[in-house]
Amino acid sequence: MSDILRVLLFFAALATGGWICYKIRKLQVKMQDAIFWVIFAVILAVLGIFPHACYWLTERLGIISPANFIFLVIIFLLLEKVFTLSLVVSQLEEKISVLSAEVALRSRAAEKRIDQNEEILEDLAEKMQNQDVKNSENPEENPQDQEIEKNCPAPGE
């Protein structure tokens, strides 16, 4: 493994670790994701600092070049992360469809209640209007007016 690749791995590990620490301080990343990226940075640092471990693993796995092994490890870790994120996205899409259906049902129920209340109010208004018409036609027969006249003195009295 070349010295340039080792230095790049080390700086990539530092940059990844620094970036994830910054995001953790700003509370912009979930702890599960932060743990993944910290482990990713540690793996990069170990591969960059201890090239003999990389050579040993390369020989044991039958990989021709340590650089190929490093790329294989990085690709594997990133594919695992993509798979995990696709699972999360699928779950969120399912939740969104359930929530949108629930909101539609609740909205429809609220519309029905509003329509029913409007019909009740219209019926009450119509009944009150009919009662006012009856009272205005026969003012002497209106018991409420007679009660008020009995209890309230005339303006001149």
Side-chain angles (χ1 to χ4, degrees):
M1 176 169 27
S2 71
D3 290 336
I4 294 173
L5 181 59
R6 288 178 57 203
V7 169
L8 283 174
L9 285 173
F10 184 73
F11 282 120
L14 286 177
T16 303
W19 182 253
I20 198 65
C21 287
Y22 172 75
K23 290 296 185 179
I24 289 172
R25 275 189 237 131
K26 296 285 185 176
L27 299 174
Q28 294 178 338
V29 67
K30 288 177 21 180
M31 196 51 66
Q32 180 182 2
D33 295 332
I35 290 170
F36 171 83
W37 289 111
V38 167
I39 291 172
F40 184 78
V42 168
I43 290 172
L44 290 180
V46 166
L47 291 174
I49 294 171
F50 302 110
H52 299 295
C54 186
Y55 284 114
W56 183 79
L57 286 170
T58 301
E59 289 174 14
R60 295 285 180 238
L61 295 175
I63 299 173
I64 296 172
S65 167
N68 290 346
F69 173 73
I70 290 170
F71 291 137
L72 179 68
V73 168
I74 291 172
I75 289 170
F76 172 75
L77 290 172
L78 293 177
L79 281 175
E80 187 278 328
K81 188 62 178 173
V82 167
F83 178 71
T84 303
L85 290 176
S86 92
L87 288 177
V88 169
V89 167
S90 296
Q91 291 170 352
L92 290 175
E93 285 176 346
E94 180 64 26
K95 285 182 182 179
I96 287 172
S97 65
V98 168
L99 286 173
S100 63
E102 185 177 334
V103 165
L105 289 173
R106 288 185 181 196
S107 175
R108 181 67 182 137
E111 287 176 4
K112 282 183 179 180
R113 283 193 307 266
I114 290 172
D115 290 342
Q116 289 172 350
N117 289 340
E118 286 177 352
E119 288 175 9
I120 291 170
L121 287 175
E122 288 173 1
D123 290 343
L124 286 174
E126 188 176 313
K127 286 179 183 178
M128 289 178 66
Q129 189 177 20
N130 289 340
Q131 188 177 18
D132 287 344
V133 168
K134 286 180 183 177
N135 290 341
S136 64
E137 290 174 355
N138 299 323
E140 297 155 1
E141 296 178 9
N142 188 354
Q144 291 175 346
D145 290 343
Q146 292 172 1
E147 184 77 24
I148 293 172
E149 288 175 8
K150 287 179 186 177
N151 294 331
C152 296
E157 295 177 8

